[in-house]
Amino acid sequence: MNLQMLDRPQRTRGRPALNAAQAVDEDKLLGLAFSTFAERGYEGTTLRDLSKRLGVSHNLLNVRFGRKEDLWIRAVDWRMAQASPFVEAAFDEPADPEVRLRHLIQRFCLWATSNGDIVSLTNVEGCRSTWRLDHIVEHFVLPFQRRLDGLLDAVRLQRPVHGLSTAALMALLVQGVGYYFCAVPMQQRLGAGQEVDDMHAAEHADRLAAFLLAALLPPVA
């Protein structure tokens, strides 16, 4: 027997080496995982199905992420880290509170035109009381709501603001504006497909933002 063979790590025939998991692009993997969870729901998604869509072995995903629960958390955290800064930048602008609020609403409506996967996921998870909803609310929704509450309080010190809770305002933005841009087949069937296509979505995002701001901020006498 070749003694050098005894020094080589052994692995099961047909399975990838453990370090093969590192060869898969993580952004690609997490992006596909998130879009699948958003489309099919947590229960409708399996690691085996994801591995087939990626063209990798089932064992590779187990080595890289462990349980499906762990992959869901990683995918959600990764996707939100990508998408959140565009909107939240308005909170930190060196501007008057009302200007920051206007920019925040405008940015959120524009954000909705290209983040339908997040809207889909929150629509699904928001209707059931699960550990996944707890994760979304604790890590993303509540921190945003606290900052929005603070901004609205600052605006109220300067001018009237209609009495709408931040929970209701966020629902109008995510489940209202977000759904409008997310449910493209629905808009097409209603004859409004051109409003949400790539050429016109930004224009209609501005119109929706103006509509919401007019309702939120009454004219100052």
Side-chain angles (χ1 to χ4, degrees):
M1 177 182 297
N2 188 337
L3 295 180
Q4 291 182 341
M5 294 293 292
L6 298 177
D7 295 329
R8 295 179 183 176
Q10 301 299 306
R11 63 184 179 92
T12 305
R13 181 184 299 274
R15 292 183 177 273
L18 296 185
N19 62 5
Q22 305 304 319
V24 179
D25 180 75
E26 183 159 288
D27 287 348
K28 177 182 177 182
L29 192 156
L30 293 175
L32 178 60
F34 187 91
S35 64
T36 305
F37 284 126
E39 176 187 348
R40 303 183 181 182
Y42 183 79
E43 290 81 4
T45 300
T46 66
L47 292 184
R48 189 171 300 280
D49 181 52
L50 280 174
S51 67
K52 289 180 180 178
R53 296 184 72 180
L54 280 167
V56 299
S57 78
H58 180 217
N59 185 59
L60 185 148
L61 292 184
N62 287 330
V63 169
R64 187 79 167 265
F65 295 103
R67 302 172 300 169
K68 182 169 73 168
E69 174 183 346
D70 299 321
L71 176 58
W72 186 93
I73 292 173
R74 285 281 300 277
V76 169
D77 291 354
W78 171 85
R79 185 69 181 91
M80 294 303 293
Q82 280 190 326
S84 298
F86 176 75
V87 174
E88 295 185 358
F91 284 123
D92 301 316
E93 291 178 351
D96 176 89
E98 182 179 342
V99 172
R100 283 185 280 137
L101 178 62
R102 290 183 179 277
H103 288 174
L104 181 75
I105 300 298
Q106 291 164 352
R107 280 175 171 264
F108 210 120
C109 290
L110 184 58
W111 173 94
T113 66
S114 57
N115 289 283
D117 55 345
I118 296 178
V119 175
S120 295
L121 187 84
T122 55
N123 283 344
V124 170
E125 298 296 349
C127 295
R128 294 176 294 173
S129 183
T130 65
W131 62 266
R132 299 183 301 280
L133 179 60
D134 291 339
H135 182 85
I136 292 170
V137 170
E138 178 183 351
H139 290 87
F140 308 108
V141 180
L142 284 179
F144 184 89
Q145 184 183 35
R146 285 191 287 266
R147 299 195 75 182
L148 182 57
D149 278 326
L151 180 56
L152 284 170
D153 287 343
V155 174
R156 289 189 183 99
L157 294 176
Q158 299 179 343
R159 50 115 67 234
V161 178
H162 280 305
L164 189 70
S165 70
T166 48
L169 178 57
M170 289 189 296
L172 289 173
L173 289 167
V174 179
Q175 280 73 37
V177 177
Y179 178 80
Y180 168 71
F181 288 111
C182 174
V184 173
M186 173 69 81
Q187 310 315 329
Q188 290 172 338
R189 284 163 174 76
L190 295 176
Q194 190 179 41
E195 297 180 10
V196 296
D197 63 22
D198 291 340
M199 291 183 60
H200 302 92
E203 173 188 350
H204 284 277
D206 286 341
R207 291 181 180 179
L208 289 170
F211 180 85
L212 290 174
L213 285 165
L216 186 63
L217 302 174
V220 178

